[in-house]
Amino acid sequence: MEKQYPEYITLQQFLKKEQLAASGGEAKHLVKSLLIFVNGEREDRRGRKLYKGDEVRINGKTYVVE
């Protein structure tokens, strides 16, 4: 049986995956304090759904969701 992967990841999960936050609480603080853009739009919701190919820019550094 083929393993199913989620079709999206939340911004909070992304921050933890990229080792920018160690915990959910830290991610919550970062989302409110850093300049984060998703596909060119300012984002301050840690529950924002990110899909494969989305561009996330955090303090000038760009990441692409895989």
Side-chain angles (χ1 to χ4, degrees):
M1 181 176 241
E2 194 171 315
K3 188 172 183 179
Q4 294 290 324
Y5 292 97
E7 68 178 76
Y8 67 86
I9 185 171
T10 64
L11 181 55
Q12 175 176 306
Q13 291 169 323
F14 180 82
L15 291 173
K16 290 172 24 181
K17 180 178 180 258
E18 292 296 324
Q19 298 179 340
L20 298 169
S23 68
E26 188 176 353
K28 180 180 180 178
H29 172 74
L30 290 177
V31 168
K32 297 297 181 188
S33 64
L34 296 177
L35 279 177
I36 299 176
F37 293 84
V38 176
N39 298 327
E41 295 182 17
R42 175 80 166 93
E43 188 55 69
D44 64 357
R45 298 172 295 161
R46 64 186 169 135
R48 165 71 187 260
K49 294 177 182 175
L50 304 175
Y51 298 89
K52 187 175 181 175
D54 281 349
E55 274 191 9
V56 180
R57 192 168 38 128
I58 303 170
N59 283 352
K61 184 172 180 183
T62 302
Y63 302 83
V64 177
V65 179
E66 296 180 3

